[in-house]
Amino acid sequence: MPRDPKNVSHGAESAEQTAVAILAWLASEPEMLSRFLALTGLEASQLRGAVANPGFLGGMIDFLMGHEPTLLAFCEATETRPEAVEAAWRYYSGPGLDSGEY
């Protein structure tokens, strides 16, 4: 699902769409999904329940943001701009040290 390359939204709907796209991509990449599950300690059967948890979604996006080759592989496969992933990451992760909100 391609994103508009000129417009990166920062709202809840856009963040949720990006998170769903990441989960779908992970599900289509068995090695990447295995790595993600190993790092989180989740079982594949727990994913359905975890998706309703904003903390899980933030962690899933953090997984991509923490490894540039993985982020770029996702972006290329889904035609998503890295800035859209970053916007979703910021939405779910809350303010960071660089936000000036402390």
Side-chain angles (χ1 to χ4, degrees):
M1 104 174 93
R3 304 276 193 267
D4 179 357
K6 296 177 185 164
N7 185 15
V8 176
S9 178
H10 300 278
E13 185 177 334
S14 179
E16 185 176 322
Q17 289 173 350
T18 300
V20 168
I22 292 169
L23 185 58
W25 178 76
L26 282 173
S28 72
E29 298 286 332
E31 287 182 31
M32 195 62 62
L33 181 61
S34 293
R35 182 172 177 258
F36 174 71
L37 292 173
L39 289 171
T40 62
L42 289 173
E43 298 286 329
S45 61
Q46 296 173 302
L47 285 177
R48 186 170 296 191
V51 171
N53 182 332
F56 168 78
L57 297 177
M60 182 179 63
I61 298 168
D62 193 51
F63 171 75
L64 251 63
M65 293 294 291
H67 189 244
E68 186 176 10
T70 302
L71 170 65
L72 295 177
F74 163 76
C75 290
E76 183 178 327
T78 62
E79 298 180 14
T80 301
R81 293 182 64 212
E83 295 86 355
V85 179
E86 180 184 12
W89 176 66
R90 289 190 182 278
Y91 176 82
Y92 283 110
S93 298
L97 294 175
D98 62 344
S99 71
E101 295 182 33
Y102 289 97

